[in-house]
Amino acid sequence: MAPVDGRRMRVLLSIDSFSFGGAEGLLATLAAAGRAAGLEVVAASLAPRTPERTGMEPVLVDAGMPLVTVGVTRLTDPRAVPRVARVIRRSGCDIVHAHLGYSTILATAAGRLTGVPVVSTLHHIPGPAGPRAQVKEWLSVQLASRSDGFVLVSDAALHAFADRYR
């Protein structure tokens, strides 16, 4: 799989943080699978570097994944989307694969600014949540459904999201 200019396709995997978790662990698998498919794969964490948000970094580094930290502290920070757009541009990526809610929101908006396609994956089944979490989820679904691709991790997630958001 190569872009028109013959170089290897470059994929930027964007995720909320490098904390311990299932989606974060999946990045190591995607790094290996991507390399095997001839892709260049880089991961970007939206969260600032803190001990709580970097637990998976050693696993990702061992998997051969180059890592970037964006340093977004709040979804409502007016500098958040421009920061993500800057990382997308600097990465030279051909596509962004956003994982989880904040990443879906910010990477999709930044992808529009940069002209780089974005595919979003949500890794959960919607359930009861407080008002802030509900707004984040609604916003992530709205943007993911307007991105270049929207992936849910199971049929159960698809049906639950369809029931909730039509």
Side-chain angles (χ1 to χ4, degrees), residues 113-126:
L113 287 176
T114 62
V116 174
V118 176
V119 173
S120 300
T121 299
L122 296 180
H123 292 257
H124 70 286
I125 295 174

Side-chain angles (χ1 to χ4, degrees), residues 24-116:
E24 295 80 3
L26 178 63
L27 296 186
T29 302
L30 291 173
R35 275 196 311 281
L39 304 173
E40 290 182 41
V41 183
V42 176
S45 166
L46 296 182
R49 295 196 84 246
T50 64
E52 309 81 47
R53 295 182 175 204
T54 56
M56 285 298 290
E57 281 186 0
V59 174
L60 297 172
V61 169
D62 285 349
M65 177 84 72
L67 305 179
V68 176
T69 300
V70 181
V72 173
T73 57
R74 296 181 338 271
L75 185 60
T76 57
D77 182 342
R79 299 169 297 175
V81 172
R83 281 184 179 172
V84 176
R86 192 173 318 117
V87 167
I88 291 171
R89 285 187 192 102
R90 286 182 181 163
S91 76
C93 68
D94 300 294
I95 191 165
V96 177
H97 187 179
H99 294 265
L100 305 176
Y102 289 123
S103 185
T104 291
I105 294 164
L106 296 175
T108 302
R112 293 283 187 234
L113 287 176
T114 62
V116 174

